[in-house]
Amino acid sequence: MSLTLHVDGVRWRRHLRAMVEREPGLVPVAKGNGYGFGLGKLARRAQWLGVDTLAVGTYAEIGEVSKRFDGSILVLTPWREFLRPGYDERLIHTVSRLSDLEMLVAGPHRPRVVLERATSMRRHGMSARELRKAGDLLAKIPGVVLEGVALHLPLAQVSHLGEVNALLTDVVASGLKTTTIYVSHLSATELKQLRASWPDFTFRPRVGTDLWLGARDALTVSATVLDVHPVERGDAYGYRGRHAPAAGTIVIVSGGTAHGVGLVAPTGGSTLRNRASSVVRGGLDAMGLVRSPYIIDGKSRLFAEPPHMQASMLFLPSGSRVPAVGDQVELAVRFTITSFDKIVVS
Ligand SMILES: *Cc1c(COP(=O)(O)O)cnc(C)c1O
């Protein structure tokens, strides 16, 4: 009675292998909920893939991957003194401020670092001027091992090439002794064009979603039907004593808010399509029922009421094929916010 992720192992592994063969410098990203798989599982896969570096999101995540993966570990969240990361020769720190670099070069160790150049994301990173000062500092005081420069780009609306070309000019001007550029969210075409324009540089894409979740048809999610109750129009049900809008069946399935089911990850909300879908949602709300991610008898079904912690109540109108207790039903999830009870790799 669980929420299960089924992985077609052959297809999934074939996709992972093909991605790494196409992009030999690829740095897999394992962070957060491990894209639904968990950090440990992704670390073991990275080991199996034979990549030399695995990226984690935060310092707190290192422990989950370091025993399962024996290469270098790149931490994507920039180094801050208050995070008190210890020294470990396998760690590569992201350094996004000149003041942090000054602290690191003055320390007793020779930590490995990637310097982050700010992009139009405006999240973290050094300005062109700071990058030049970093170049001057490292030329004088070799207190750190420079592994490369990082560029974290926004998700593509238009091509990133103009921006990346300008940023690479800053890298050249900084005099930093590295030709390795770690990039995020560039398309295969953009990478190809960059490699052609900047043949002296090595570009290393950091990839999570397209790697782990890229073979989407190798991944299916199922829930267990826990109970079914026929209702007549007007019958009361649920925590809130709602009344059935029509005759049908209340179906109780595994999966609730504790699994991330029914939670909507915030969207940009700026496109027409997003706005249209919230109008649809508003329309269903007005009837008292919202669309659920569960698919029964070939159709996505309505929540009979908001999902509970570990189970959800669905409303199935009469005329639909009613599943039996114990049956599995499919559902669509956002992998980055879902906790599965079980992962079955075939
Ligand atoms: C999370 C993250 C990535 C990977 O993002 P995906 O969209 O999952 O591929 C890459 N770079 C940075 C800096 C990140 O934080």
Side-chain angles (χ1 to χ4, degrees), residues 110-141:
R110 287 197 76 217
R112 302 163 68 192
V113 305
V114 164
L115 300 185
E116 182 159 0
R117 169 72 176 93
T119 69
S120 56
M121 279 278 288
R122 291 191 193 281
R123 195 163 86 163
H124 302 296
M126 298 188 193
S127 64
R129 189 163 158 271
E130 279 186 291
L131 209 61
R132 276 200 305 280
K133 289 196 166 174
D136 295 344
L137 179 65
L138 295 186
K140 280 192 304 223
I141 313 170

Side-chain angles (χ1 to χ4, degrees), residues 101-214:
L101 185 65
E102 286 166 350
M103 263 186 260
L104 276 169
V105 294
H109 304 290
R110 287 197 76 217
R112 302 163 68 192
V113 305
V114 164
L115 300 185
E116 182 159 0
R117 169 72 176 93
T119 69
S120 56
M121 279 278 288
R122 291 191 193 281
R123 195 163 86 163
H124 302 296
M126 298 188 193
S127 64
R129 189 163 158 271
E130 279 186 291
L131 209 61
R132 276 200 305 280
K133 289 196 166 174
D136 295 344
L137 179 65
L138 295 186
K140 280 192 304 223
I141 313 170
V144 299
V145 181
L146 180 61
E147 298 278 347
V149 171
L151 306 176
H152 184 193
L153 295 148
L155 296 170
Q157 307 281 336
V158 290
S159 167
H160 294 107
L161 284 183
E163 178 173 7
V164 177
N165 282 323
L167 296 171
L168 288 175
T169 309
D170 298 340
V171 175
V172 173
S174 70
L176 287 167
K177 297 273 173 290
T178 184
T179 52
T180 302
I181 310 291
Y182 291 86
V183 291
S184 305
H185 301 137
L186 290 181
S187 69
T189 318
E190 288 173 325
L191 272 170
K192 202 167 153 210
Q193 285 170 319
L194 279 175
R195 284 174 175 139
S197 320
W198 301 86
D200 299 339
F201 282 92
T202 303
F203 293 92
R204 302 200 60 179
R206 301 173 294 185
V207 189
T209 307
D210 287 352
L211 180 68
W212 308 119
L213 304 174

Side-chain angles (χ1 to χ4, degrees), residues 282-305:
L284 292 168
D285 270 340
M287 275 174 42
L289 301 184
V290 215
R291 190 167 299 286
S292 85
Y294 292 87
I295 297 156
I296 298 178
D297 198 16
K299 281 203 189 115
S300 87
R301 297 301 174 177
L302 301 176
F303 279 122
E305 73 169 356

Side-chain angles (χ1 to χ4, degrees), residues 253-308:
V253 287
S254 56
T257 53
H259 300 92
V261 166
L263 306 184
V264 181
T267 64
S270 60
T271 67
L272 266 181
R273 203 163 142 243
N274 285 342
R275 276 206 290 273
S277 75
S278 30
V279 171
V280 171
R281 233 178 274 138
L284 292 168
D285 270 340
M287 275 174 42
L289 301 184
V290 215
R291 190 167 299 286
S292 85
Y294 292 87
I295 297 156
I296 298 178
D297 198 16
K299 281 203 189 115
S300 87
R301 297 301 174 177
L302 301 176
F303 279 122
E305 73 169 356
H308 305 168

